[in-house]
């Protein structure tokens, strides 16, 4: 049974951890360890356009910050999901375990699942700009008669 008292806190922890992972993978791994030109060469070596590495770097860095701050979490997690699925594809030929040479597909697939779950759960607590519930229409704006005040 789900403890609904703790679910918002758990959702927040997931959001912050996922955001921190994206920041680490963009700023630390892609920028400081491999360098953006090295990351671009890797993308090219697996048949992707090299410019895509720069777009992925920017999306991961910005998306990570947005997740940590809780800015439109659902939509950010959904927007980053294709990047994670692409990473799963990129590591598929290396085997299952991420500890294998060049990393397997286990970790990127797990992160894909976490991003999907984050999109389903929402923002949690302490979100600066909570996102609307999935599948629920936006609340209608009240219409006031001319001269009436809210």
């Amino acid at each position: 049974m789900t403890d609904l008292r703790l679910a918002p806190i758990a959702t927040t922890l997931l959001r912050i951890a996922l955001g921190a992972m994206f920041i680490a993978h963009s700023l630390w791994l892609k920028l400081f360890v491999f360098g953006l030109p090295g990351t671009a060469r890797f993308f090219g070596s697996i048949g992707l356009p090299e410019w895509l590495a720069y777009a992925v770097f920017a999306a991961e860095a910005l998306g990570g910050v947005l997740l940590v701050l809780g800015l439109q979490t659902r939509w950010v997690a959904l927007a980053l999901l294709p990047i994670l699925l692409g990473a799963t594809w990129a590591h598929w030929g290396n085997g299952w375990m991420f500890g294998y040479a060049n990393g397997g597909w286990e970790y990127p697939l797990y992160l894909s699942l976490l991003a999907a779950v984050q999109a389903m759960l929402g923002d949690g607590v302490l979100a600066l700009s909570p996102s609307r519930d999935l599948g629920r229409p936006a609340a209608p704006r009240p219409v006031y008669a001319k001269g009436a005040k809210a």
Side-chain angles (χ1 to χ4, degrees), residues 133-146:
D133 286 347
L134 293 175
R136 186 180 293 177
R141 294 178 149 226
V143 178
Y144 298 103
K146 189 173 185 177

Side-chain angles (χ1 to χ4, degrees), residues 3 13 16 24 28 58 75 83 101 106 111 125 131 139:
D3 187 340
L13 293 174
I16 293 169
W28 182 252
W75 310 114
I83 292 173
E106 158 197 31
L111 292 173
V125 296
S131 44

Side-chain angles (χ1 to χ4, degrees), residues 23-99:
I23 292 168
H25 271 241
S26 60
L27 295 179
W28 182 252
L29 188 65
K30 288 180 178 66
L31 184 62
F32 296 123
V33 174
F34 298 128
L36 292 179
T39 302
R41 282 191 299 276
F42 171 74
F43 273 53
S45 76
I46 60 171
L48 297 171
E50 291 188 2
W51 62 263
L52 189 58
Y54 296 92
V56 166
F57 164 78
E60 287 182 346
L62 179 60
V65 170
L66 293 175
L67 286 171
V68 168
L69 295 176
L71 296 168
Q72 298 299 310
T73 300
R74 289 183 192 276
W75 310 114
V76 173
L78 284 174
L80 292 171
L81 188 55
I83 292 173
L84 293 169
L85 293 173
T88 303
W89 167 82
H91 290 280
W92 196 262
N94 301 333
W96 172 69
M97 286 243 332
F98 202 69

Side-chain angles (χ1 to χ4, degrees), residues 8-28:
I9 296 167
T11 302
T12 301
L13 293 174
L14 173 61
R15 186 190 84 221
I16 293 169
L18 194 59
M21 182 283 307
F22 275 113
I23 292 168
H25 271 241
S26 60
L27 295 179
W28 182 252

